Amino acid sequence: KGVQLPPKGFCGVCHVATEDDWVEIPNLGTLESFTTVHMEFPGQPTKPPYTYGYIKLDGANTHMYHLVKEIPEDKIKVGLRVEAVWEDQEKRRGNLYDIRHFRPVG
């Protein structure tokens, strides 16, 4: 079962309804894969170039995709420790976009 992030109403593997137990996890995680987008197309989160990462937050059993910023492209690598950069409290809406992006720790 594990901790799914973002939370889901059912397990994506066994399709059983998930518990209503919410678990707080830290803002820290590991970049497990990434790609840098250079071509512009409709619906992008920002103008290219930008890097999108496959991030596993500490304590979660699943991954999430999100922007990786505040680091030169040639310094991004698998295994990089990252932290979430949150939107200002008054602008949050309770969705994935409450996280502006992830940045390297340290």
Side-chain angles (χ1 to χ4, degrees), residues 3 11 15 22 25-26 32 61 80 92 96-97:
V3 177
C11 173
H15 305 290
W22 289 82
I25 58 174
E32 295 200 346
N61 294 89
L80 181 70
R92 294 183 192 171
L96 190 58
Y97 299 108

Side-chain angles (χ1 to χ4, degrees), residues 27-59:
N27 291 324
L28 301 171
T30 302
L31 184 65
E32 295 200 346
S33 181
F34 65 93
T35 188
T36 300
V37 178
H38 293 275
M39 191 170 104
E40 193 167 349
F41 58 88
Q44 287 177 295
T46 189
K47 281 191 102 35
Y50 61 89
T51 298
Y52 225 54
Y54 191 56
I55 299 162
K56 186 172 185 184
L57 290 179
D58 298 348

